[in-house]
């Protein structure tokens, strides 16, 4: 038995305990059953598909019990999982599969159309396991990767973050110590399978500590509230958009959530009115902060401080070292804004096949998050902005440069600039400012339709604005700050609902 074989260990300790409940299928998987499935998968992938330690497996699917068993198979055999965002276009999916050099693609039938022209062998979940009782395992080093998780890049191409067994372990320990996770805990997961948050905020820490996970792959607020009540969930992870939709649901008032200790909220800060709404329901809010490359569970604000320290992301989690530095690399004083740097065993070694971006991401042993923060006199951390130009739309990270590169490939467009703007429902969305080529008559609708071919839905700009020229700064560069400051005067609000 290997040190990282978590499900295998719990199959010994608590074989009949429910590990996974598939809500849609109404099927329970005990730790024993899940471990046997994982062993079968590990062997089948080796014998029938020739996979060995270090081979990448791309997965285009929502969560299911087989996906969790595949994770366990990766812990046993040393396979590397590459979960692909199911919202991406076929172009975007192809890039990540080719970049990761995946040896096999596992897909959910609903997404088969996005994989038609790809070379690696493709199987659906029905083909992932065999009937052999044989096992296949390898010696695993803590520095071996278990995931490659793609994050959108400021260069316009997603970067594959290498996520190691060591990161997995220390993130789990950090999470358990700050959230008091035990084998008695139960959670409902409706986060996506392609996010580090979906895997590593609660699922993998729960599997490490022998908890129970209900899997729900659709976000219907009444169904989420019903499952939280039926499962007697003790912890629940959500992004602010989800909580707002849930509290607006007709089922909100009657839902019995007395088993909940608190909700964990990430992605962005939860507005105070929403915190107060849930407080009246008896639900405490535990806000946190993180990113793919460093855990992701970096900070946590204790639920007792939610109102007193409104807007704060709390303190660094247990085995994490962090500092806030100015442009000169010097540590900032209280209330001074600087970039957040993170160090510790939870930090990624870098990006897959991308040494240039890996080098840029580090300052000595510290990962440069690109987030601008400050600490108050008591040490509480507050996010005040983003050094990078990323914005968050409905909990999804969007990098303007990626959208701009797509727009600039349109033969009717001369230049394009994308900025994040406030959105009542999604927190932020994109506004694309476009300069047409001479003689072009391209319309807003045509620009949007072009984007739809190459970009996932959450990346699509909500507003298309045609300008004659872009404001420039003293160095001749396009001044995005000036564009944003004049947004209310220049934007032409469209009726497109792109979510």
């Amino acid at each position: 038995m290997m040190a990282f074989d978590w499900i295998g260990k719990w199959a010994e300790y608590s074989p009949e305990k429910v590990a996974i409940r598939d809500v849609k299928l109404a099927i329970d998987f005990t730790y024993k059953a899940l471990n046997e499935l994982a062993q079968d998968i590990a062997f089948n992938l080796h014998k029938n598909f020739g996979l060995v330690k270090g081979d990448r497996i791309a997965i285009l699917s929502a969560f299911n019990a087989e996906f969790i068993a595949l994770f366990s198979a990766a812990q046993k055999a040393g396979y590397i999982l590459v979960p692909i965002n199911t919202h991406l276009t076929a172009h975007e999916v192809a890039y990540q599969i080719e970049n990761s050099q995946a040896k096999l693609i596992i897909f959910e039938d609903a997404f088969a159309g996005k994989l038609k022209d790809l070379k690696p062998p493709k199987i659906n979940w029905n083909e992932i396991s065999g009937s052999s009782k044989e096992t296949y395992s390898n010696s695993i080093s803590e520095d071996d990767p278990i995931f490659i998780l793609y994050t959108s890049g400021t260069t316009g191409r997603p970067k594959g973050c290498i996520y190691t067994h060591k990161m997995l372990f220390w993130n789990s320990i950090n999470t358990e110590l700050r959230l008091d996770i035990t084998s008695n805990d139960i959670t409902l997961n409706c986060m996506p399978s392609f996010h580090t948050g979906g895997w590593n905020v609660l699922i993998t820490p729960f599997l490490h500590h022998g908890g129970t996970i209900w899997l729900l792959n659709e976000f219907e607020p009444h169904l989420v509230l019903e499952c939280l009540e039926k499962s007697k969930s003790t912890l629940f992870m959500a992004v602010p958009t989800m909580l707002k939709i849930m509290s607006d649901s007709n089922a909100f008032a009657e839902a019995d959530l007395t088993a909940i200790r608190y909700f964990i909220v990430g992605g962005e800060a939860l507005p105070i009115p929403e915190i107060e709404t849930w407080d009246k329901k008896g639900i405490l809010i535990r806000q946190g902060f993180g990113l793919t490359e460093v855990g992701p569970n970096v900070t946590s604000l204790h639920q007792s401080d939610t109102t007193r320290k409104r807007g704060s992301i709390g303190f660094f989690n247990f085995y994490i070292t962090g500092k806030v530095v100015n442009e000169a690399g010097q540590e900032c004083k209280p209330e001074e804004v600087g970039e957040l740097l993170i160090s510790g065993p939870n930090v990624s070694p870098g990006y897959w096949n991308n040494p240039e971006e890996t080098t840029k991401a580090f300052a000595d042993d510290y990962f440069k998050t690109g987030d601008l923060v400050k600490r108050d006199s008591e040490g509480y951390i507050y996010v005040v902005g983003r050094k990078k130009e990323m914005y968050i739309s409905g909990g999804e990270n969007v990098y303007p440069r990626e959208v701009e590169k797509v727009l600039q490939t349109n033969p009717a467009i001369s230049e394009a600039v994308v900025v994040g703007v406030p959105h009542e429902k999604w927190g932020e969305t994109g506004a694309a400012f476009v300069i047409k080529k001479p003689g072009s008559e391209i319309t807003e609708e045509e620009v949007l339709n072009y984007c739809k071919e190459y970009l996932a839905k959450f990346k699509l700009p909500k507003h298309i604005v045609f300008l004659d020229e872009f404001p420039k700064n003293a160095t001749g560069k396009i001044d995005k700050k000036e564009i944003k400051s004049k947004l209310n005067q220049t934007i032409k609000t469209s009726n497109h609902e792109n979510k």
Side-chain angles (χ1 to χ4, degrees):
M1 187 69 68
M2 289 165 291
F4 297 107
D5 189 3
W6 297 347
I7 291 172
K9 281 292 187 183
W10 285 105
E12 292 180 353
Y13 300 153
S14 307
E16 300 308 318
K17 182 176 181 182
V18 174
I20 300 295
R21 167 79 170 179
D22 188 313
V23 175
K24 183 177 181 181
L25 299 178
I27 297 175
D28 290 336
F29 291 80
T30 65
Y31 273 99
K32 178 183 178 182
L34 195 62
N35 186 58
E36 289 174 348
L37 179 58
Q39 289 176 326
D40 189 35
I41 289 171
F43 180 77
N44 184 51
L45 295 182
H46 173 64
K47 179 183 179 182
N48 295 320
F49 297 95
L51 297 191
V52 297
K53 177 182 175 181
D55 282 344
R56 277 76 64 202
I57 304 170
I59 309 101
L60 192 67
S61 172
F63 274 123
N64 54 36
E66 288 79 10
F67 207 158
I68 303 298
L70 177 61
F71 162 78
S72 181
Q75 283 194 312
K76 301 173 195 295
Y79 304 139
I80 302 173
L81 307 185
V82 188
I84 304 291
N85 189 329
T86 55
H87 300 311
L88 298 183
T89 66
H91 294 277
E92 294 166 310
V93 169
Y95 171 77
Q96 295 186 14
I97 290 175
E98 291 165 4
N99 181 260
S100 66
Q101 299 170 305
K103 296 290 184 67
L104 180 69
I105 302 170
I106 300 172
F107 65 94
E108 186 178 340
D109 289 343
F111 307 113
K114 298 183 179 185
L115 304 169
K116 289 180 180 178
D117 301 322
L118 300 181
K119 293 180 180 179
K122 298 178 280 289
I123 62 172
N124 62 24
W125 289 115
N126 294 329
E127 303 169 89
I128 194 174
S129 60
S131 56
S132 174
K133 297 299 181 182
E134 296 183 67
T135 61
Y136 175 71
S137 62
N138 287 296
S139 177
I140 306 298
S141 162
E142 65 176 15
D143 293 321
D144 289 333
I146 186 168
F147 289 112
I148 296 175
L149 300 169
Y150 277 86
T151 64
S152 294
T154 54
T155 60
R157 284 291 196 183
K159 296 175 291 186
C161 174
I162 299 170
Y163 198 99
T164 66
H165 290 264
K166 179 169 71 174
M167 292 175 66
L168 192 74
F169 174 83
W170 286 105
N171 178 73
S172 175
I173 295 301
N174 280 326
T175 307
E176 175 263 320
L177 286 170
R178 293 296 279 136
L179 301 183
D180 300 321
I181 295 172
T182 73
S183 59
N184 295 319
D185 278 314
I186 303 168
T187 191
L188 171 72
N189 182 80
C190 47
M191 296 289 289
S193 62
F194 48 82
H195 272 187
T196 188
W199 278 103
N200 299 312
V201 170
L202 287 181
I203 283 185
T204 55
F206 265 57
L207 293 173
H208 191 188
H209 293 87
T212 297
I213 302 159
W214 283 39
L215 293 178
L216 178 65
N217 289 318
E218 55 183 315
F219 183 73
E220 292 292 340
H222 70 280
L223 185 55
V224 172
L225 290 165
E226 178 184 323
C227 287
L228 287 173
E229 181 176 334
K230 285 185 176 180
S231 66
K232 299 189 185 305
S233 286
T234 54
L235 299 175
F236 177 63
M237 161 68 187
V239 298
T241 302
M242 293 163 61
L243 294 188
K244 180 68 169 72
I245 294 172
M246 288 165 64
S247 65
D248 286 343
S249 167
N250 292 333
F252 176 73
E254 299 301 321
D256 180 0
L257 306 180
T258 52
I260 292 282
R261 291 206 302 279
Y262 40 74
F263 284 174
I264 298 95
V265 179
E268 54 192 310
L270 187 66
I272 295 299
E274 192 64 19
I275 292 173
E276 292 171 345
T277 296
W278 285 98
D279 184 65
K280 292 175 183 176
K281 184 72 175 172
I283 301 297
L284 299 173
I285 300 297
R286 183 96 179 211
Q287 298 205 120
F289 168 87
L291 56 160
T292 303
E293 293 90 340
V294 291
N297 297 322
V298 176
T299 73
S300 185
L301 178 70
H302 194 273
Q303 61 271 22
S304 63
D305 283 328
T306 300
T307 301
R308 186 176 76 90
K309 292 292 183 179
R310 59 181 62 188
S312 173
I313 57 173
F315 295 97
F316 295 118
N317 287 338
F318 214 87
Y319 292 104
I320 290 176
T321 301
K323 60 182 179 179
V324 183
V325 301
N326 58 25
E327 290 291 339
Q330 301 167 328
E331 290 206 44
C332 294
K333 299 175 182 178
E335 302 299 338
E336 182 183 352
V337 174
E339 184 178 6
L340 177 63
L341 306 186
I342 301 293
S343 181
N346 55 293
V347 176
S348 170
Y351 299 108
W352 179 260
N353 284 340
N354 199 335
E356 182 179 350
E357 289 298 319
T358 297
T359 300
K360 288 180 183 178
F362 287 87
D364 297 324
D365 292 332
Y366 284 83
F367 180 82
K368 299 185 290 186
T369 68
D371 290 287
L372 299 176
V373 305
K374 66 178 180 179
R375 283 171 137 170
D376 67 15
S377 59
E378 296 180 72
Y380 287 80
I381 305 168
Y382 295 77
V383 177
V384 299
R386 300 180 184 93
K387 195 170 183 178
K388 302 171 185 177
E389 295 174 337
M390 178 197 81
Y391 59 91
I392 299 174
S393 183
E396 296 271 11
N397 293 350
V398 183
Y399 287 83
R401 181 59 183 151
E402 184 180 6
V403 184
E404 289 167 359
K405 288 190 73 171
V406 168
L407 288 166
Q408 289 163 359
T409 63
N410 189 303
I413 293 174
S414 174
E415 293 182 82
V417 168
V418 175
V419 297
V421 297
H423 190 278
E424 182 178 352
K425 182 176 182 181
W426 302 110
E428 293 175 289
T429 190
F433 295 83
V434 173
I435 297 177
K436 301 177 184 179
K437 285 187 177 179
S440 168
E441 297 297 329
I442 191 170
T443 65
E444 292 180 26
E445 191 71 23
E446 288 170 339
V447 171
L448 183 62
N449 287 337
Y450 185 81
C451 290
K452 286 179 179 178
E453 184 177 354
Y454 296 96
L455 294 169
K457 203 171 184 181
F458 65 84
K459 299 177 187 177
L460 298 177
K462 177 74 167 68
H463 309 284
I464 309 294
V465 182
F466 293 109
L467 298 178
D468 293 327
E469 62 179 1
F470 292 141
K472 306 285 179 67
N473 60 23
T475 62
K477 294 182 179 180
I478 295 173
D479 191 339
K480 289 190 175 183
K481 289 184 179 180
E482 179 67 16
I483 287 177
K484 291 191 76 169
S485 71
K486 294 182 176 181
L487 191 60
N488 291 335
Q489 290 76 37
T490 61
I491 199 165
K492 299 175 183 178
T493 304
S494 74
N495 292 321
H496 302 305
E497 181 54 59
N498 297 321
K499 285 288 183 182

